[in-house]
Amino acid sequence: QVQLVESGGGLVQAGGSLRLSCAASGGTFSRRIMGWFRQAPGKEREFVAGITWSGRTTYYGDSVKGRFTISRDNAKSTVDLQMNSLKPEDTAVYYCAADSRIGLLTPSGFVPDNDYWGQGTQVTVSS
């Protein structure tokens, strides 16, 4: 059974930083695009960041470009999201996800495999 487990969420003041981590287990991690999505109350889920298996290609949602950085460690089956200069509008539940190994990572994001979603971690940024 595939499991993606996020950690690192919490409450931070505007301008602060948080680092989210996602650990994968129980499935095939190799050659999957990994990434992060988020959903704020009353809003649709949106793409935050994605990274290819090699790590050479990364894309970010427009609202986080220049502030967030995604990275992965394939040996540990982890993907991290470093979030700097946080804003109140970054408040959301952040989800880790992986694709089905046959998709593409584009500037608009990627299509996650339905079986490769984490349970989410809450990030709250106070003003």
Side-chain angles (χ1 to χ4, degrees), residues 44-59:
E44 292 188 354
R45 189 171 294 182
E46 68 169 330
F47 170 70
V48 175
I51 185 168
T52 55
W53 165 251
S54 68
R56 286 194 290 267
T57 301
T58 58
Y59 287 119

Side-chain angles (χ1 to χ4, degrees), residues 99-119:
D99 86 321
S100 59
R101 296 196 290 174
I102 60 174
L104 293 174
L105 177 62
T106 72
S108 299
F110 66 97
V111 179
D113 187 314
N114 286 335
D115 292 330
Y116 281 76
W117 282 98
Q119 81 290 351

